[in-house]
Amino acid sequence: MHTTLRSLISLLVPAAALTAAEFQIADPAEFGRCVAPDARLTRLASDLGFTEGPVWVKAGGAGFLVFSDIPRDELKKWSAAAGLETFRKPSRNANGNTLDAAGRLLTCEHSGRQVAVLEPDGTLRTVVDRFEGKKLNSPNDVVVKSDGTIWFTDPEYGLRTNPQTKQREGKEQPANHVFRHDPKTGRTVAVVKDFLQPNGLAFSPDEKRLYVADSGSPKHIRVFDVGADGTLGGGRVFCTIDQGVPDGIRVDRDGRVWSSAGDGVQIFSPSGALIGRILVPESAANLCFGGDDGRTLFITARKSLYSIPVKVAGAGR
Ligand code: MG
């Protein structure tokens, strides 16, 4: 597009810029059940540092989105009524966020090296910060199962890399695990130990499957069978992301897996077949379902926050 024309359009389209969404559709019938052909992608916020960890908070009637700006050390809040606000700063470089059954906000902190919970009285309390007596690396993303157990990933992205040795500074864990923490017993168990950089994770609607993304060189999502006692079996490769890496993932009510990717959001059937892609102008790091009817997809992508109406709600809360 001509530069002058682009400038003129940017003047005419203030704040929330609407763009006709671009799709790449592999399975038209299934994609049509996910997104309407005329759905529009909206940029809700821009000029942020690096956005991650969106979660929709139903606060009574009018809900709002909480998400992380990791390098700016801030949790942001977005609502249709008030736009963009600060939710918490400093955030100890918060990354992934989720809600537990009581509606409390759980947050993974990179520099805090812990998973923390925001209590109703406003106190921020440590849930877990160690495994086998050693500090966690930098918890990245978290989900809560209906039995109250807290499942989170602990890659090393939040630890500084020494430019000389190329080693992560301050790393105490021998590897990068997926953990299950039981708040009733205080016990933390490493449930997956063979990932390079475990990242987003999500349960299937019946919680019989757990999907975990590896943002390291495998660039794939694996699927595990979840036993009644919380142990995991299986672990086959569910899908591989061909643009960028998988980071945050969500499952919809029908069991499809929606993954962030370098080209936006890629949607997969429960059998792992690509249904299609929602192309986003910036590389997507995470996503969540939300909005008052649960049928808005929020996408954190580098310096911006986007949304697009979808035709299905997310699984779980
Ligand atoms: Mg992540």
Side-chain angles (χ1 to χ4, degrees):
M1 189 188 295
H2 193 277
T3 310
T4 311
L5 182 57
R6 193 191 295 272
S7 312
L8 185 61
I9 288 172
S10 68
L11 284 173
L12 294 173
V13 184
L18 285 167
T19 323
E22 291 183 44
F23 308 125
Q24 280 182 9
I25 301 170
D27 181 337
E30 267 298 284
F31 194 82
R33 295 184 187 101
C34 298
V35 189
D38 60 349
R40 298 180 84 82
L41 189 70
T42 303
R43 194 169 68 185
L44 300 172
S46 57
D47 299 322
L48 297 160
F50 186 104
T51 60
E52 246 276 18
V55 63
W56 183 258
V57 181
K58 281 176 190 162
F64 57 88
L65 188 82
V66 170
F67 67 101
S68 298
D69 187 335
I70 302 174
R72 293 193 185 159
D73 196 19
E74 187 169 353
L75 278 173
K76 307 293 292 187
K77 174 182 177 180
W78 178 91
S79 65
L84 193 64
E85 300 171 279
T86 295
F87 184 81
R88 183 161 82 224
K89 185 179 174 67
S91 69
R92 293 190 283 242
N93 306 99
N95 189 340
N97 295 285
T98 197
L99 300 178
D100 67 9
R104 298 179 301 181
L105 180 68
L106 285 152
T107 298
C108 293
E109 299 176 352
H110 273 187
S111 58
R113 299 178 73 166
Q114 64 173 354
V115 179
V117 62
L118 183 61
E119 299 288 4
D121 66 359
T123 311
L124 193 62
R125 184 175 58 79
T126 298
V127 174
V128 53
D129 62 355
R130 285 177 183 266
F131 176 65
E132 294 183 336
K134 299 184 179 73
K135 280 186 184 176
L136 298 174
N137 299 322
S138 52
N140 190 296
D141 218 340
V142 58
V143 288
V144 180
K145 197 163 173 277
S146 59
D147 64 2
T149 51
I150 296 163
W151 301 61
F152 66 97
T153 54
D154 190 36
E156 59 192 24
Y157 292 126
L159 299 177
R160 186 176 174 271
T161 302
N162 183 305
Q164 267 82 46
T165 64
K166 308 293 181 200
Q167 299 295 307
R168 299 281 182 168
E169 292 180 343
K171 183 167 178 171
E172 297 187 10
Q173 294 295 327
N176 307 330
H177 298 327
V178 182
F179 293 106
R180 180 186 72 242
H181 175 79
D182 188 344
K184 292 186 193 116
T185 62
R187 191 156 170 254
T188 306
V189 178
V191 288
V192 180
K193 293 182 170 180
D194 61 348
F195 271 49
L196 288 183
Q197 302 289 355
N199 203 319
L201 71 176
F203 286 102
S204 60
D206 62 7
E207 296 187 331
K208 289 183 176 169
R209 288 175 155 200
L210 176 71
Y211 298 94
V212 187
D214 194 331
S215 301
S217 52
K219 302 180 183 180
H220 59 208
I221 297 171
R222 285 167 59 191
V223 58
F224 296 86
D225 303 315
V226 183
D229 59 355
T231 55
L232 297 182
R236 68 181 169 83
V237 174
F238 171 76
C239 68
T240 300
I241 296 299
D242 59 358
Q243 299 289 325
V245 299
D247 191 331
I249 56 176
R250 290 288 188 276
V251 174
D252 70 29
R253 276 189 189 165
D254 299 329
R256 301 178 197 89
V257 176
W258 301 51
S259 177
S260 63
D263 55 357
V265 175
Q266 301 187 5
I267 309 170
F268 296 88
S269 75
S271 63
L274 180 66
I275 294 170
R277 308 162 192 257
I278 301 169
L279 302 180
V280 177
E282 296 168 79
S283 204
N286 213 328
L287 61 148
C288 75
F289 294 90
D292 292 335
D293 66 355
R295 287 178 166 75
T296 299
L297 189 72
F298 292 94
I299 305 162
T300 51
R302 292 300 183 266
K303 294 180 181 299
S304 301
L305 170 70
Y306 295 86
S307 74
I308 183 169
V310 291
K311 294 174 76 174
V312 61
R317 285 177 292 280

